[in-house]
Amino acid sequence: MRSYKDSLQLFSQPLGRQMEELYSAPYLIIHRAHLHGVLVQEADRLGVAIHLDSHFTRINFSDPSVELSNGKTYDAEIVLGEDGERSACRDALLGYDISSRDSGDHVFRITVKASNGTEHKDMMDLVQPPYVNHCVGPGANAITYALKRNCLLNVVLTCACDVSKTIQHGLRKAEIHEAREVFGRWDDRFQTLLSLAQRCTKWTLL
Ligand SMILES: Cc1cc2nc3c(=O)[nH]c(=O)nc-3n(C[C@H](O)[C@H](O)[C@H](O)COP(=O)(O)OP(=O)(O)OC[C@H]3O[C@@H](n4cnc5c(N)ncnc54)[C@H](O)[C@@H]3O)c2cc1C
């Protein structure tokens, strides 16, 4: 963990062998597509049938079954609802809607080619694995870590904004100057990261 002003290290936590000893499992960072790949492979190995394009429209809890928008119905012993933040399954189970609320925290995500980062000497400890850097500043924090076999640096910038009554779901395209409004006051390495950004997206934490 580092300070936003000068990237001075404030705290460090070993993530290698110590994590395995403590939790009997490794600390891993994995790209979502790769994680999906691993899960699909294992489901396949276990003989699980995966039906894509299966949007459920109704769940019957008393005599468990799931109705899909394509007209099919599946009977089940157990229905496990994992349909995310706007879960219709959760609402159906509870019998009322749970609306999300804007937490006031907004997140910018930029990606930087790791090879671009290594051209800047002062960036080495940010762009080289196995580090996860968490920088903290006033009303904002930033996390950087390597992805895709260390080819890509993922930069997640979170900052406090005004709470909006209109919820904006999902990922939106953002301009880099929006992130600069907050992180432009951080130490030089963040200016370099922002200048190397390939693309910028944002979303609201609900
Ligand atoms: C842009 C972005 C970046 C993020 N980055 C990170 C990160 O770096 N690290 C991290 O740990 N977390 C990250 N998160 C958070 C993480 O994505 C979520 O916490 C996680 O995906 C939640 O998992 P879930 O299975 O509950 O829901 P989801 O991943 O949302 O999965 C829900 C699934 O249900 C499906 N579904 C919904 N309704 C229906 C229906 N009626 N019928 C059938 N299927 C339905 C959806 O299509 C979806 O596939 C990020 C989130 C966002 C938006």
Side-chain angles (χ1 to χ4, degrees):
M1 183 177 278
R2 296 170 185 275
S3 161
Y4 77 106
K5 273 190 285 198
D6 46 15
S7 288
L8 186 76
Q9 187 174 307
L10 306 172
F11 168 80
S12 82
Q13 166 78 57
L15 300 176
R17 198 165 33 82
Q18 290 87 339
M19 282 283 156
E20 295 208 47
E21 279 167 12
L22 196 57
Y23 299 109
S24 307
Y27 182 99
L28 296 174
I29 293 176
I30 187 167
H31 193 277
R32 192 185 305 254
H34 297 167
L35 175 63
H36 282 183
V38 171
L39 294 175
V40 169
Q41 222 176 7
E42 183 61 3
D44 195 36
R45 193 184 69 80
L46 295 170
V48 175
I50 298 177
H51 303 274
L52 297 176
D53 200 14
S54 301
H55 189 91
F56 80 84
T57 47
R58 194 161 174 274
I59 301 174
N60 182 356
F61 290 107
S62 50
D63 184 15
S65 65
V66 177
E67 285 174 26
L68 305 185
S69 57
N70 60 14
K72 288 188 183 154
T73 300
Y74 289 97
D75 295 327
E77 284 175 30
I78 293 174
V79 176
L80 200 64
E82 298 189 36
D83 50 340
E85 66 181 8
R86 279 174 281 173
S87 171
C89 187
R90 179 187 56 211
D91 291 346
L93 181 68
L94 296 174
Y96 54 87
D97 290 354
I98 295 187
S99 313
S100 307
R101 273 176 297 141
D102 185 338
S103 70
D105 278 343
H106 289 208
V107 183
F108 293 99
R109 177 183 189 243
I110 64 171
T111 48
V112 173
K113 255 194 199 161
S115 55
N116 289 346
T118 48
E119 285 166 15
H120 299 262
K121 261 199 183 145
D122 59 339
M123 302 278 288
M124 289 310 251
D125 53 353
L126 278 189
V127 296
Q128 280 193 332
Y131 301 121
V132 178
N133 279 281
H134 191 176
C135 297
V136 287
N141 72 80
I143 297 177
T144 61
Y145 52 85
L147 281 178
K148 292 194 171 171
R149 296 192 190 280
N150 311 324
C151 293
L152 201 65
L153 185 71
N154 195 36
V155 183
V156 182
L157 307 164
T158 305
C159 55
C161 298
D162 292 336
V163 174
S164 164
K165 283 201 176 116
T166 329
I167 300 293
Q168 301 210 58
H169 289 281
L171 201 59
R172 308 187 291 281
K173 194 174 177 307
E175 300 300 333
I176 201 72
H177 70 79
E178 295 178 58
R180 253 196 206 109
E181 278 172 28
V182 179
F183 296 91
R185 295 187 287 273
W186 286 34
D187 96 348
D188 288 350
R189 299 197 301 178
F190 278 87
Q191 311 323 313
T192 311
L193 276 181
L194 292 170
S195 70
L196 294 172
Q198 290 178 301
R199 58 194 289 258
C200 182
T201 48
K202 66 177 175 185
W203 69 96
T204 307
L205 292 184
L206 303 176

